[in-house]
């Protein structure tokens, strides 16, 4: 029995299985995926890479907050996180771009209106291309807030929240370096090859991000 077959059999919570052909001419690989995989915080990404996916709960790895959470919650409040303000992995600051914030850490209506306006120009805040160097040319000059308000449910929409979760929570399913590498690969090539040689397409990884961001 191949390693990929063993991996798929040990991940019943991730939903239906599909046989796909690897990118750039690679041999077909059996991977486990679902439109909305029920991760449930059981398995770390590093556990999947090592083959440690026996189904036993890993208490060190849990899910994070959704993109919808981060599109309105920018400052910490009552034990809940806001946006990470600094990315130590890349040495850059992260700015949500809203100068009107409620005392509970959520943005006010004028900011929501600005970020949701597809015709708005000179919108303040960190841009997608500043955080992810391989962001596509048609999206790289949009701010992270514009992505969260205008590009649901794209891969970029889920990628922003996944990276924020990785920076905010030390027990998140993905470490910051893992999330960053996956996101940049998907943006650049449309797929990510993990350490076991399994190829994850943009749609499959978007589903994985979606599941991990809905588990906390």
């Amino acid at each position: 029995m191949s390693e990929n077959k063993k991996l798929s059999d040990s991940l019943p919570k991730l939903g239906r299985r599909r046989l796909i052909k690897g990118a750039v001419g690679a041999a077909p690989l059996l991977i486990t995926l679902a439109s909305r995989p029920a991760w449930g915080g059981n398995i770390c990404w590093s556990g999947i890479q090592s083959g440690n996916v026996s189904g036993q709960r890993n208490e060190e790895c849990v899910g994070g907050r959704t993109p919808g959470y981060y599109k309105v919650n920018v400052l910490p409040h009552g034990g809940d996180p806001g946006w990470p303000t600094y990315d130590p992995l890349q040495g850059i600051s992260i700015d949500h771009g809203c100068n009107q914030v409620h005392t509970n850490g959520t943005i006010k209506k004028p900011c929501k209106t600005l970020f949701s306006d597809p015709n708005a120009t000179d919108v303040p805040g960190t841009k997608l291309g500043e955080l992810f160097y391989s962001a596509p040319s048609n999206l790289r000059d949009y701010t992270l807030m514009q992505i969260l308000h205008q590009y649901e449910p794209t891969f970029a929409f889920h990628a922003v929240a996944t990276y924020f979760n990785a920076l905010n929570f030390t027990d998140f399913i993905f470490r910051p370096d893992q999330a960053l590498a996956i996101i940049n690969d998907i943006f650049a090539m449309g797929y990510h090859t993990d350490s076991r040689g399994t190829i994850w397409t943009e749609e499959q990884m978007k589903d994985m991000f979606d599941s991990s961001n809905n588990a906390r």
Side-chain angles (χ1 to χ4, degrees):
M1 184 180 293
S2 68
E3 287 187 347
N4 282 315
K5 186 64 168 64
K6 291 178 181 177
L7 176 60
S8 64
D9 287 345
S10 61
L11 286 172
K13 291 188 176 183
L14 292 183
R16 70 183 184 276
R17 300 176 176 87
R18 180 185 301 168
L19 187 65
I20 68 166
K21 289 184 180 294
V24 294
L29 295 173
L30 185 64
I31 72 169
T32 304
L33 67 147
S35 59
R36 291 179 62 83
W39 195 314
N42 290 320
I43 306 168
C44 300
W45 179 249
S46 57
I48 292 178
Q49 305 310 283
S50 66
N52 181 23
V53 290
S54 63
Q56 296 179 352
R57 185 169 181 81
N58 187 335
E59 297 293 345
E60 295 182 356
C61 291
V62 297
R65 299 302 175 90
T66 66
Y69 175 88
Y70 287 115
K71 72 189 292 184
V72 295
N73 293 271
V74 296
L75 298 180
H77 177 75
D80 293 322
W83 278 38
T85 58
Y86 182 72
D87 176 7
L89 190 63
Q90 303 185 87
I92 59 176
S93 297
I94 300 174
D95 176 21
H96 53 75
C98 180
N99 60 4
Q100 299 185 53
V101 181
H102 292 291
T103 56
N104 67 355
T106 62
I107 62 175
K108 294 184 178 181
K109 187 175 180 178
C111 288
K112 295 179 183 179
T113 300
L114 174 64
F115 299 140
S116 300
D117 183 0
N119 297 314
T121 58
D122 298 322
V123 178
T126 301
K127 296 180 179 180
L128 188 71
E130 294 174 322
L131 195 61
F132 307 117
Y133 69 83
S134 66
S137 58
N138 64 317
L139 294 179
R140 63 180 301 106
D141 290 330
Y142 284 87
T143 70
L144 302 176
M145 269 299 193
Q146 287 178 302
I147 295 295
L148 291 175
H149 280 79
Q150 299 180 39
Y151 285 88
E152 182 179 1
T154 63
F155 173 76
F157 175 78
H158 292 287
V160 171
T162 296
Y163 196 53
F164 281 5
N165 285 327
L167 293 175
N168 273 337
F169 304 112
T170 58
D171 56 357
F172 185 55
I173 291 165
F174 297 94
R175 298 193 312 265
D177 62 318
Q178 293 171 335
L180 186 64
I182 292 170
I183 292 166
N184 277 320
D185 276 358
I186 295 292
F187 279 149
M189 301 179 292
Y191 66 93
H192 170 75
T193 305
D194 67 24
S195 62
R196 292 170 63 85
T198 301
I199 295 173
W200 299 77
T201 67
E202 177 177 326
E203 188 66 23
Q204 292 156 8
M205 192 55 70
K206 184 187 76 172
D207 291 340
M208 190 68 78
F209 282 179
D210 185 19
S211 179
S212 67
N213 291 336
N214 277 283
R216 199 180 195 100

